[in-house]
Amino acid sequence: MQIAKKYLTEGLIQLTILLSLIGVRVDIDSYLSGYYSPLIEINLGPSSAYTQTPFHSLRDNLDGYSVHPKCPELDYFFASRRLLDEVRNLGSPRFPTQLNAWLVHQVSATDKADCGPSTSNNTDTSSGLESSGDEASRDSEHLLDRGQDVCQTPAERGQGPCNAGACGALKEESDAKVKEEEEPAPLTQLAHSSTLEHESLLEGITSLNIPPSIDIDQHWSNLLSLSVTDLDDLDSLVSGRVSDIDSDITSAISQDVSLHDAMVTNSVSERAEPRPDTQQRRILFRMESTSSSHSDVSPGMALGLAALPFASVCNLTGNGALGGCLDEAVFEQINQLGLEGLDTMDTQLMDCLEGIDPQVLEDLDSDSGLSLESSSGGPVSPGSSEMSSSSSSYCEDECGATGYSSEVESVPPKSITDYTTSWAPIDLSESVWHDHSYSSPALFHPPPVTFPHKGIKEEPLSDDEGPFSDEREMSRDELRARAMFIPFSVLQIVNMPVEEFLEVLDGQGFSPEQVTLLRDIRRRGKNKLAAQNCRKRKLDAITGLQEEVERLHAQRDRLLREKHLTAKTMGAVGQQIKQLTRDVLARLRDDSGQPLNPERFTLQCGANGRVVVQPVRRPAVSTSTGNKTDKRKKEKKQ
DNA sequence: GGCTCTTGTCATGAT
DNA sequence: TGATCATGACAAGAG
């Protein structure tokens, strides 16, 4: 509880500061992409392979400051910012408010006209739509809140870029349908409008002030007809259809709510189709964690902090006309949230975490690290998990080893939450996005010990450990720590911040032997990681040098070929010159009227371009003298 | 049993 | 000055 609260509070505060500092134009996505890069790596899997980037270090380095210059996340941060700036410099097409208003009217018209087919479609794929609604509801749960505020705020104010456009009309329709809680319609339409924007971007449509053509109109109508169905179902969907997860998800996936959802559902459908329902459910959770809204795992987080949903909303709107009201809505929402909202947020978050199937949580940490084949990304990153299933500890470029990291993730979440040390959440975070094991499996389940500090007792191991848990191989350091009654695992000792480590050394009443062992364990653990990094770099350097050698070989061969070709050409040209010289001299006559002997005369081209006949300068006759001098020189050398 | 590869560890210098 | 990192060297284990 405190962990989540602390984490979310930090995120909220920092995000609020950022928003307030930036001003009207909020580049939330850039900040989020930088700040939440660890989270992205959590979900996407491949983390910086051999670079030890503890989560706490990134947590405290929001804007790229104080980050290790070699930290790849820093490169990612600046790269993201640079790319974003470049995109902005290109001038992305902005959709006028009039377009959004037109879309809204189309929605309403389509709503009335296509109500029957939509409902029939709904009945045909009722389960699917319910599941689709589940997806929509999940997104709506995260997005609608923001969407509500986003559109409601400018509409109420009657000002801003969307006062007479989309937001106003959106609010009217949404008021007609859903009045009280979520108002999903505006947001869905927002999502649709953003979807249209995305598609328009893809189609190169830069200006839509002109009424769209019939094809586009029909296209929009088809798209919006789906939205009507969704709008009809949204109130019931938002009311909570978590139990409907059991329904057929694949059919739901076919009902793309928006481009955003389509991207998510398609990716899910490809994976989910051959799987049984249970796996589909699991995938559904995975999808929630892998979708663009990272807070899907914890709706409470989405409802409360809304940090990542901010990114979603901003991404949906982009530079569109709704951006202004979104910015204002973001500020207003933050103001409305307050810190008291964190309580409910924590409750929701923890309820959600508790409500999740433990198997799902286990899947999130399915890389038990019991072998070196542990994947880097875990189940949340299927691609990486499949890719990194190598027996070698060194994975591809994107993945690698972080030593004890996998030990962290193998620690049962329950026990992790029981750690109330201040660095415990850091380990929890690392447990998600570090995923490689170089240590013995026994470290994954530290023995139940009583923490001398704070009187906290570590939870005993779970039931699945069985009688073989003690038989697992333990590292020497782990054995030493056990023998010395050190209530920390090697992983914890290595990964805890130095400040916490020093506090532990000072405040836990350890004996000098224990302190020495703790320091040794920490030193060895970090050195182990360093050695792995070093070896990885060495291999990379070797690979790079080999490639360089191959490149240089190819260059040498090419130059040799050019040399031979040039020599051949020069020989041919020389022969031609000799032949021409003979011809010219044969046509010339000396004083006696005889043709010039080519062996005694030659043609020389002067600097001014004039060709003159010169007698051949034969080398000095004193060849024997030269030979003698050469011989003398050779003798001197010898 | 020797060889090779991988990995952990130590020592040492640099940051 | 201590912590951390980088790296060469060595040893142990596995195939």
Side-chain angles (χ1 to χ4, degrees):
Chain A
M1 198 72 169
Q2 293 180 351
I3 294 169
K5 186 173 181 178
K6 178 183 178 183
Y7 176 75
L8 296 176
T9 303
E10 290 180 359
L12 178 61
I13 293 172
Q14 294 180 1
L15 181 60
T16 305
I17 294 172
L18 281 175
L19 292 174
S20 62
L21 288 176
I22 291 171
V24 178
R25 297 300 307 167
V26 180
D27 297 335
I28 298 175
D29 46 354
S30 64
Y31 287 94
L32 290 177
S33 62
Y35 180 58
Y36 285 97
S37 57
L39 291 179
I40 292 172
E41 292 199 3
I42 288 171
N43 294 327
L44 297 181
S47 60
S48 59
Y50 294 97
T51 303
Q52 187 183 15
T53 54
F55 188 79
H56 56 81
S57 63
L58 287 173
R59 179 191 61 185
D60 296 333
N61 300 323
L62 171 61
D63 223 351
Y65 300 109
S66 301
V67 178
H68 193 278
K70 296 180 181 179
C71 180
E73 282 74 12
L74 188 60
D75 298 335
Y76 173 75
F77 173 79
F78 287 114
S80 301
R81 172 171 290 183
R82 180 179 55 80
L83 291 175
L84 184 63
D85 293 337
E86 291 178 359
V87 170
R88 291 209 178 98
N89 292 332
L90 291 175
S92 59
R94 299 192 177 191
F95 295 92
T97 307
Q98 182 180 354
L99 170 64
N100 294 327
W102 173 80
L103 291 176
V104 170
H105 292 308
Q106 288 293 321
V107 169
S108 58
T110 311
D111 188 5
K112 295 176 181 178
D114 299 338
C115 182
S118 299
T119 53
S120 62
N121 189 14
N122 187 12
T123 55
D124 293 338
T125 59
S126 59
S127 61
L129 276 179
E130 288 176 359
S131 299
S132 166
D134 289 336
E135 299 210 6
S137 64
R138 282 196 304 274
D139 287 335
S140 61
E141 284 178 1
H142 311 311
L143 297 176
L144 289 180
D145 295 335
R146 274 77 58 193
Q148 178 182 357
D149 294 336
V150 161
C151 293
Q152 188 174 4
T153 302
E156 292 174 356
R157 292 177 182 174
Q159 58 185 8
C162 53
N163 56 347
C167 289
L170 289 173
K171 188 176 187 304
E172 291 178 357
E173 285 197 358
S174 62
D175 291 337
K177 292 188 175 297
V178 181
K179 188 69 177 179
E180 38 189 20
E181 38 180 40
E182 298 291 340
E183 290 190 8
L187 183 70
T188 308
Q189 293 171 357
L190 267 179
H192 282 294
S193 63
S194 64
T195 304
L196 300 180
E197 291 180 7
H198 286 297
E199 293 185 0
S200 300
L201 285 174
L202 294 176
E203 295 174 0
I205 300 173
T206 57
S207 175
L208 292 178
N209 284 323
I210 302 173
S213 63
I214 298 174
D215 294 337
I216 297 176
D217 192 345
Q218 182 64 29
H219 181 57
W220 295 144
S221 300
N222 293 334
L223 284 175
L224 294 172
S225 62
L226 292 176
S227 69
V228 170
T229 305
D230 298 331
L231 290 175
D232 294 335
D233 294 334
L234 272 177
D235 7 356
S236 59
L237 295 175
V238 175
S239 62
R241 292 283 189 86
V242 179
S243 60
D244 291 335
I245 291 174
D246 293 333
S247 61
D248 187 8
I249 299 175
T250 56
S251 60
I253 291 165
S254 62
Q255 301 293 330
D256 294 339
V257 178
S258 66
L259 180 61
H260 169 72
D261 294 333
M263 294 168 62
V264 175
T265 53
N266 287 335
S267 63
V268 173
S269 62
E270 293 176 358
R271 288 173 291 169
E273 284 181 358
R275 297 173 184 246
D277 292 341
T278 55
Q279 290 182 348
Q280 287 180 355
R281 254 177 294 164
R282 191 176 305 171
I283 289 171
L284 185 63
F285 282 106
R286 292 181 184 178
M287 181 204 67
E288 293 174 359
S289 62
T290 56
S291 62
S292 61
S293 177
H294 297 282
S295 61
D296 288 343
V297 178
S298 59
M301 181 187 295
L303 292 171
L305 178 57
L308 292 175
F310 281 165
S312 302
V313 172
C314 293
N315 288 331
L316 288 174
T317 57
N319 290 329
L322 296 177
C325 58
L326 283 180
D327 295 340
E328 296 177 1
V330 164
F331 285 106
E332 183 171 343
Q333 183 186 13
I334 293 174
N335 294 331
Q336 291 176 352
L337 271 177
L339 292 178
E340 63 272 12
L342 291 175
D343 295 331
T344 58
M345 175 183 63
D346 289 340
T347 305
Q348 293 170 343
L349 175 61
M350 298 312 295
D351 291 342
C352 177
L353 290 177
E354 292 176 357
I356 295 175
D357 188 0
Q359 180 63 32
V360 175
L361 292 176
E362 185 177 343
D363 286 342
L364 293 175
D365 288 341
S366 65
D367 292 330
S368 60
L370 295 177
S371 67
L372 297 177
E373 299 177 354
S374 61
S375 63
S376 63
V380 291
S381 62
S384 60
S385 63
E386 296 174 359
M387 179 179 68
S388 61
S389 62
S390 171
S391 60
S392 173
S393 299
Y394 294 106
C395 302
E396 297 299 323
D397 294 336
E398 291 298 324
C399 58
T402 53
Y404 295 98
S405 302
S406 59
E407 302 172 10
V408 181
E409 67 182 14
S410 65
V411 175
K414 181 74 174 179
S415 60
I416 287 179
T417 55
D418 289 337
Y419 288 105
T420 56
T421 56
S422 58
W423 44 269
I426 299 167
D427 280 358
L428 175 61
S429 302
E430 287 187 341
S431 68
V432 182
W433 65 299
H434 287 300
D435 199 16
H436 302 277
S437 173
Y438 284 86
S439 56
S440 65
L443 301 181
F444 302 134
H445 302 286
V449 292
T450 302
F451 281 68
H453 62 290
K454 301 178 183 178
I456 296 167
K457 185 173 184 178
E458 191 178 21
E459 283 273 330
L461 298 179
S462 58
D463 298 335
D464 58 349
E465 295 194 337
F468 299 101
S469 60
D470 293 338
E471 299 177 0
R472 291 173 183 168
E473 182 184 1
M474 298 181 68
S475 68
R476 286 179 289 178
D477 281 338
E478 195 71 14
L479 292 172
R480 291 167 187 156
R482 259 191 168 183
M484 296 290 287
F485 302 102
I486 292 176
F488 299 101
S489 66
V490 173
L491 160 71
Q492 295 166 347
I493 296 170
V494 173
N495 286 336
M496 72 172 67
V498 60
E499 295 84 4
E500 301 294 334
F501 180 69
L502 295 177
E503 290 180 1
V504 167
L505 292 182
D506 295 337
Q508 302 302 324
F510 288 125
S511 64
E513 292 80 8
Q514 286 177 319
V515 170
T516 303
L517 180 59
L518 282 168
R519 289 184 179 277
D520 289 341
I521 289 173
R522 184 177 176 87
R523 176 178 48 81
R524 279 192 288 264
K526 288 191 174 298
N527 186 251
K528 186 193 298 183
L529 299 178
Q532 290 165 1
N533 290 330
C534 182
R535 283 161 181 154
K536 172 65 168 54
R537 282 191 297 269
K538 186 182 291 184
L539 289 176
D540 292 341
I542 291 172
T543 303
L545 289 175
Q546 288 175 347
E547 293 175 353
E548 181 72 10
V549 167
E550 293 177 357
R551 188 184 63 81
L552 291 175
H553 274 300
Q555 184 179 9
R556 186 195 64 176
D557 295 340
R558 179 175 54 82
L559 292 175
L560 285 176
R561 285 195 300 270
E562 291 179 356
K563 177 186 175 183
H564 293 155
L565 182 60
T566 303
K568 196 174 182 180
T569 304
M570 289 293 291
V573 170
Q575 292 296 328
Q576 290 180 357
I577 291 175
K578 287 181 179 179
Q579 183 63 35
L580 287 174
T581 302
R582 289 194 206 97
D583 294 343
V584 170
L585 292 177
R587 296 172 187 271
L588 296 178
R589 296 291 185 270
D590 57 4
D591 297 337
S592 60
Q594 296 297 324
L596 298 178
N597 188 358
E599 297 180 355
R600 296 180 58 186
F601 295 94
T602 183
L603 298 177
Q604 293 291 332
C605 184
N608 54 0
R610 297 181 62 182
V611 178
V612 297
V613 177
Q614 289 184 347
V616 175
R617 293 179 180 177
R618 297 187 178 280
V621 187
S622 60
T623 55
S624 60
T625 310
N627 293 333
K628 290 180 181 179
T629 55
D630 292 339
K631 289 180 180 179
R632 290 176 184 174
K633 290 180 180 177
K634 289 180 180 179
E635 290 175 356
K636 287 181 179 179
K637 289 180 180 179
Q638 293 174 354

